[in-house]
Amino acid sequence: ISCNYQPDPVFQKLSARTMEAGEVAWIITLSGYNIDMVELIAKVKERGVKTICLTNSYGSPITKQADYLLYG
């Protein structure tokens, strides 16, 4: 299993461009309102990537886009 971690938003967007259907993206955001994360999840979803989001904000914009949600 290959795994890639990018803490920098610029590199996250670059990595998102190479993701393909059948892969999974983990999105971690405390607020669920971070524009970089909201845009990132939209980009990978367009590519057919499944998404898992960890957040503590019920009803935030990112929760409406994620395939699977974890609240913490």
Side-chain angles (χ1 to χ4, degrees), residues 23-29 41 44-45 49-55 62 65-70:
E23 295 182 318
V24 177
W26 276 85
I27 311 295
I28 302 171
T29 171
I41 199 169
V44 297
K45 300 260 320 157
V49 174
K50 291 291 183 189
T51 58
I52 302 169
C53 180
L54 173 61
T55 185
I62 206 159
Q65 297 184 58
D67 293 306
Y68 302 98
L69 294 170
L70 300 170

Side-chain angles (χ1 to χ4, degrees), residues 9-69:
V10 172
F11 288 109
Q12 290 170 355
K13 290 177 183 176
L14 291 172
S15 291
R17 293 180 186 164
T18 64
M19 294 189 80
E20 301 174 348
E23 295 182 318
V24 177
W26 276 85
I27 311 295
I28 302 171
T29 171
L30 183 63
S31 73
Y33 289 87
N34 180 296
I35 192 67
D36 289 323
M37 296 296 100
V38 173
E39 289 175 356
L40 180 69
I41 199 169
K43 284 193 182 300
V44 297
K45 300 260 320 157
E46 288 173 5
R47 300 184 63 80
V49 174
K50 291 291 183 189
T51 58
I52 302 169
C53 180
L54 173 61
T55 185
N56 74 345
S57 182
Y58 296 98
S60 63
I62 206 159
T63 63
K64 294 172 176 59
Q65 297 184 58
D67 293 306
Y68 302 98
L69 294 170

